[in-house]
Structures are given as C-alpha cells and as structure tokens.
Amino acid sequence: QPRVFSGVQPTGNLHLGNYLGAIVRFVPLQDQMPTIFSIVDMHAITVWQDPAELMKQTREVTAAYLAAGVDPKKSIIFNQSQVKEHAELAWIFNCVARMGWLKRMTQFKDKAGKHAENASVGLFAYPNLMAADILAYRATHVPVGDDQKQHLELTRDIAQKFNNDFADRIKELGLGVPNPEPTHEAPDEIYFPVTEPMITGPATRIMSLRDGNKKMSKSDPSDLSRINLTDDQDTIAKKIKKAKTDPEALPSEVDGLEGRAEADNLVRIYAALANRTKADVLTEFGGQQFSAFKPALSELAVEKLAPMTDEMRRIMDDTASVDAVLRDGAERAAAIAEPVLHDVRRIVGFLESR
Ligand code: AQP
C-alpha cells in the first residue's frame, strides 16, 4: 500500500529551502495517498538543543505545516518522540546497518567537522533513525530535498538487508508481501518496502543567499544567508537586496545560468515561488539587471510568505490547539507503527511473554 512519510527537524530558523524543498510539496500529496508528517525532535537532539527552545521550535514547525496547508484531518502530524516505535526500530537498524555504510555519509562529515571524536553517537547513527521513521510505517514514498538523497539510499539498503537477512523467517511467519523487484539476490517476499525517494520539482536544492555553492541551511551562522519563514517584509527585502550576485544581466535562456550559481539560485527561487519554470522566468526577466530582478523577487517572496507567516503566528498563539494536533497525530501514528514493531519483534526472534 503506498504511503508517504517525511519529517522536518525542530532546530530553529525554518527557512525558504525547508519550505520549498519539503513542506509545500507535502500539501498536494495529501489528496493522493495516506500521508504522515513528523516533527523529528529525536533527530534534533543529535546536536545540543536548549530544552525550552526545542519545545517552542517543535510547535513552530507544526505551525508551519498547518499554515502551509498540511491538514490534520487528511494527514497524520505528530512529533517523533511521542511514538516510541521510532526508537525501538532504530535500535534494530543499528544492528542491521554497517559501520562502513554510515562512515560514508557526507552529512555526518559536514556536521561533525574536524572534531568527529566529539560528535554524539546519535549524530553518527542519525540515518538509522531516519530509516526507522520511514519503515515503522512501511512508507513507500519520501518527499525530501536533495541533501537527503544519500540518507534515503541508506534506508533502501537497510530495508534490503533486513528483507534478505530474515527472508526465511518472514516467509515462515507469513508476513511477507511479493517483492515488486525480485532479482536473483533478493527474496521473492519482503517485509519492508524499498522506499522511493521523491526529490522532484524546481526547489530540491535552494542555495545560501551569500554563497551559491552552499545550501541554504538553518545552522548557517549568517542570518543573511537564508530567508526564515518568520522574517518580516523588510527583512526579506533587505536579505534579497544583499544577496550575492554577479555583475552580468540575467540571460534569456536557462543555459546562460551555467557557472553563475548565485544567479541560478535567485531564478530558481523565483520560479518555485511563482510555480513557473526557470525558462519562463527568464523569458520575462532575460536581459534585465539584478537591480530590476531583485525587487520583483522580494515582492513575490513577501506576497507568498507573508500570509503564511501571519498564519503561523496566529497558530502559535494557541499552543493548546497545536499540542492537541500533535497528540491526536501521535495516537494515529502509533496505531500504524505498533503492529509493524510487533511483526518485527517476531521476525527478529524477540520473545514476547506478555
Ligand atoms: N536548502 C534546501 N533546499 C531544499 N530543501 C532543503 N531542505 C533543507 N535544506 C534545503 C529540506 O528540508 C527538509 C527538512 O530538513 P531538516 O530539518 O531535516 O534538516 P536539514 O536537511 O539538515 O536542513 P537544514 O535546514 O540545512 O538544517 P541544518 O542547518 O541543521 O543542516 C528536508 O526534506 C530537507 O531535504
């Protein structure tokens, strides 16, 4: 059965990249298949989080989902730590995944930097928890930004290794479903689906406004590098005005953006916000200087983001309602994950005596 799972970390500074690369893409999926969207607070604590801030930011991401149009009647919305099956399955996956797989993860290398010895074990094992997030619901589709591609490949590897390691047991217990892609190495029945990444659309990789070769990121020390979802109109305009560009006019065709990372990024942002293609945007703005394009981009960004920011603030004022959405979502999520973990315990050979 097709099912969508995705998550956003409540690590502060929710930005345009998170919005265009992930959150806004959740909305149309709600009408296509069952959808589960989490605020992944257990991922957040892989680096230090102030506890009070973590609670506030968890509500803020929830508010961003709701303000963007994720509907708690259609989708399950919950914070990860309220559904214990994530942690339990992550432990089992810690024992399925190999050290060598995790050592190849570029995000760990980037985040741990030169001091990997001081990084938390959680930061290293992060992709196993992400695999558990997805597979606790046997989700088949995962809409994320381009930076998560490697982690999703690892999720596929974990699912495949689990399906292979326990192939006989899965069959014996009658818990398998036919493998849609049987090969001579893969079993004909599997338990976990081999998840499809959904990394599509114009905005899977929004770059920093200060450096077109770095992705826009919550943790960039420069606030000018990103447009936060909570920025007001003047701040958005100031950040776009100060965004790094080159001295050339905009080209008339997409090919002309090659080698011009900053220009490409601004055109991409415009296209994604306007729901148009880059080619279409360049038909309108080709030949114009950034002094003309930037104000148009600011105006569009404000037009699209201001109603959402206002709505987020309104939602955040009523924390009891936000918490009620999360509580209800957690119950509905647990109702799906509990039977999956029950199966997994039997598959692995854990004795259940009560
Ligand atoms: N720059 C981006 N462009 C497009 N999509 C992006 N995403 C993140 N940055 C961009 C997508 O947003 C979703 C949520 O991301 P996350 O909260 O899990 O954390 P992250 O990927 O680590 O994002 P950040 O903002 O860059 O945080 P830090 O600075 O902590 O690393 C994901 O679907 C992600 O792909």
Side-chain angles (χ1 to χ4, degrees), residues 30 35-39 61-63 65-66 69-79 82 322 324-333:
Q30 300 179 106
T35 40
I36 306 177
F37 300 116
S38 186
I39 298 92
V61 178
T62 312
Y65 282 179
L66 298 172
V70 181
D71 178 350
K73 288 196 198 76
K74 293 182 185 167
S75 292
I76 295 178
I77 303 172
F78 72 106
N79 59 312
Q82 295 206 73
V322 173
V325 167
L326 294 175
R327 197 165 46 242
D328 172 62
E331 274 167 26
R332 287 156 62 201

XYZ file of all heavy atoms in Angstrom, residues 30 35-39 61-63 65-66 69-79 82 322 324-333:
262
model
N -1.348 14.970 -0.010
C -2.411 14.557 0.915
C -3.637 13.995 0.198
O -4.386 13.215 0.762
C -2.899 15.744 1.747
C -1.836 16.382 2.588
C -2.390 17.562 3.355
O -2.595 17.474 4.549
N -2.644 18.665 2.673
N -0.758 10.088 4.165
C 0.450 10.886 4.404
C 0.715 11.033 5.904
O -0.216 11.243 6.692
C 0.290 12.299 3.786
O -1.047 12.747 4.023
C 0.552 12.309 2.303
N 1.985 10.932 6.261
C 2.403 11.096 7.655
C 3.545 12.100 7.675
O 4.562 11.905 6.998
C 2.907 9.751 8.237
C 1.847 8.660 8.061
C 3.298 9.913 9.703
C 2.292 7.291 8.547
N 3.366 13.185 8.440
C 4.410 14.201 8.509
C 4.805 14.410 9.965
O 3.970 14.701 10.818
C 3.930 15.504 7.864
C 3.581 15.322 6.409
C 2.283 15.493 5.957
C 4.555 14.932 5.497
C 1.954 15.287 4.622
C 4.240 14.717 4.156
C 2.933 14.905 3.718
N 6.099 14.261 10.218
C 6.570 14.294 11.598
C 7.439 15.525 11.846
O 8.029 16.077 10.916
C 7.374 13.019 11.874
O 7.725 12.942 13.220
N 7.486 15.917 13.097
C 8.451 16.928 13.539
C 9.468 16.112 14.315
O 9.174 15.570 15.387
C 7.785 18.008 14.426
C 6.699 18.744 13.621
C 8.816 19.016 14.927
C 5.341 18.188 13.729
N 7.427 24.337 13.992
C 7.381 23.522 12.757
C 5.957 23.009 12.529
O 5.468 22.995 11.404
C 8.399 22.348 12.797
C 8.283 21.495 11.539
C 9.826 22.863 12.939
N 5.290 22.635 13.617
C 3.890 22.192 13.481
C 3.059 23.320 12.875
O 2.264 23.099 11.940
C 3.302 21.808 14.859
O 4.227 20.962 15.534
C 1.962 21.096 14.720
N 3.271 24.523 13.388
C 2.525 25.682 12.868
C 2.849 25.912 11.391
O 1.964 26.260 10.605
C 2.854 26.930 13.689
N 3.700 23.616 9.186
C 2.960 22.598 8.425
C 1.509 23.055 8.230
O 0.974 23.043 7.122
C 2.906 21.273 9.190
C 4.142 20.391 9.180
C 4.153 19.185 9.879
C 5.295 20.724 8.475
C 5.251 18.338 9.883
C 6.408 19.886 8.477
C 6.375 18.692 9.185
O 7.456 17.856 9.190
N 0.893 23.440 9.345
C -0.539 23.782 9.291
C -0.755 25.010 8.408
O -1.657 25.031 7.566
C -1.087 24.032 10.701
C -1.027 22.837 11.670
C -1.423 23.267 13.080
C -1.935 21.701 11.193
N -0.705 24.423 4.768
C -1.851 23.704 4.195
C -1.838 22.208 4.474
O -2.634 21.476 3.893
N -0.927 21.757 5.342
C -0.994 20.347 5.740
C -2.185 20.247 6.706
O -2.252 20.980 7.697
C 0.317 19.873 6.398
C 0.216 18.403 6.779
C 1.510 20.089 5.461
N -3.101 19.366 6.368
C -4.387 19.343 7.056
C -4.438 18.140 8.013
O -4.350 16.993 7.562
C -5.479 19.236 5.965
C -6.882 19.165 6.543
O -7.020 19.008 7.772
O -7.834 19.253 5.743
N -4.587 18.394 9.318
C -4.564 17.264 10.263
C -5.729 16.287 10.079
O -5.679 15.182 10.615
C -4.618 17.937 11.638
C -5.053 19.329 11.399
C -4.732 19.686 9.980
N -6.725 16.687 9.295
C -7.802 15.726 9.017
C -7.368 14.755 7.920
O -7.800 13.615 7.878
C -9.075 16.461 8.586
C -9.746 17.197 9.738
C -11.182 17.569 9.354
C -11.705 18.656 10.255
N -11.140 19.994 9.911
N -6.509 15.247 7.036
C -6.069 14.377 5.935
C -4.774 13.652 6.288
O -4.556 12.519 5.879
C -5.815 15.219 4.678
C -7.057 15.851 4.085
C -6.663 16.615 2.814
C -7.814 17.374 2.220
N -7.359 18.330 1.190
N -3.881 14.351 6.987
C -2.550 13.802 7.262
C -2.380 13.547 8.745
O -3.024 14.192 9.578
C -1.474 14.814 6.860
O -1.443 14.982 5.485
N -1.457 12.648 9.063
C -1.067 12.456 10.455
C 0.109 13.390 10.724
O 1.112 13.350 10.011
C -0.660 10.984 10.688
C -1.876 10.072 10.481
C -0.025 10.803 12.052
C -1.579 8.586 10.644
N -0.049 14.274 11.724
C 1.014 15.218 12.078
C 1.372 14.967 13.546
O 0.499 15.020 14.410
C 0.519 16.679 11.928
C 0.007 16.945 10.507
C 1.626 17.665 12.299
C -0.673 18.299 10.338
N 2.628 14.681 13.824
C 2.999 14.384 15.220
C 4.490 14.599 15.408
O 5.258 14.624 14.444
C 2.660 12.920 15.566
C 3.589 11.940 14.899
C 4.569 11.284 15.624
C 3.520 11.705 13.533
C 5.455 10.405 15.004
C 4.404 10.836 12.909
C 5.358 10.187 13.645
N 4.894 14.763 16.668
C 6.332 14.829 16.929
C 6.839 13.440 17.282
O 6.248 12.700 18.067
C 6.680 15.892 17.967
C 6.007 15.686 19.289
O 4.799 15.455 19.336
N 6.759 15.744 20.366
N 6.950 11.146 20.562
C 5.725 10.632 21.184
C 5.370 9.226 20.710
O 4.439 8.607 21.243
C 4.536 11.562 20.908
C 4.676 12.935 21.554
C 3.318 13.562 21.826
O 2.614 13.142 22.740
N 2.958 14.560 21.043
N -2.232 23.452 19.130
C -1.095 22.811 18.445
C -0.795 21.477 19.121
O -0.639 20.445 18.463
C 0.162 23.725 18.485
C 1.385 23.004 17.938
C -0.086 25.013 17.704
N -2.757 19.652 20.804
C -3.847 18.690 20.565
C -3.671 18.007 19.205
O -3.906 16.808 19.065
C -5.202 19.386 20.654
N -3.234 18.784 18.197
C -2.976 18.196 16.869
C -1.897 17.125 16.993
O -2.023 16.007 16.466
C -2.524 19.292 15.859
C -1.945 18.675 14.593
C -3.680 20.228 15.519
N -0.837 17.441 17.751
C 0.292 16.507 17.874
C -0.114 15.245 18.651
O 0.318 14.142 18.336
C 1.483 17.195 18.565
C 2.114 18.345 17.771
C 3.192 19.040 18.601
C 2.711 17.839 16.456
N -0.944 15.450 19.658
C -1.378 14.313 20.479
C -2.239 13.350 19.641
O -2.033 12.142 19.629
C -2.161 14.831 21.686
C -2.309 13.828 22.806
C -2.753 14.476 24.102
N -3.853 15.412 23.915
C -3.789 16.719 24.185
N -2.690 17.255 24.653
N -4.835 17.501 23.991
N -3.174 13.942 18.928
C -4.052 13.130 18.074
C -3.217 12.419 16.999
O -3.403 11.224 16.732
C -5.098 14.060 17.428
C -5.918 13.344 16.381
O -6.604 12.382 16.750
O -5.857 13.716 15.186
N -2.263 13.163 16.403
C -1.408 12.581 15.363
C -0.583 11.434 15.921
O -0.428 10.380 15.275
N -0.067 11.618 17.140
C 0.781 10.575 17.738
C -0.025 9.303 17.957
O 0.476 8.190 17.738
C 1.376 11.081 19.051
N -1.273 9.454 18.367
C -2.106 8.261 18.576
C -2.347 7.522 17.263
O -2.250 6.301 17.184
C -3.457 8.657 19.195
C -3.366 8.726 20.703
C -4.578 9.403 21.325
O -5.665 9.390 20.716
O -4.405 9.947 22.438
N -2.626 8.302 16.224
C -2.890 7.677 14.916
C -1.607 7.060 14.342
O -1.653 5.999 13.711
C -3.474 8.709 13.952
C -4.924 9.057 14.306
C -5.317 10.444 13.781
N -5.270 10.563 12.340
C -5.174 11.728 11.689
N -5.110 12.864 12.370
N -5.151 11.764 10.392
N -0.481 7.720 14.581
C 0.794 7.170 14.082
C 1.117 5.872 14.817
O 1.501 4.867 14.198
C 1.917 8.190 14.273
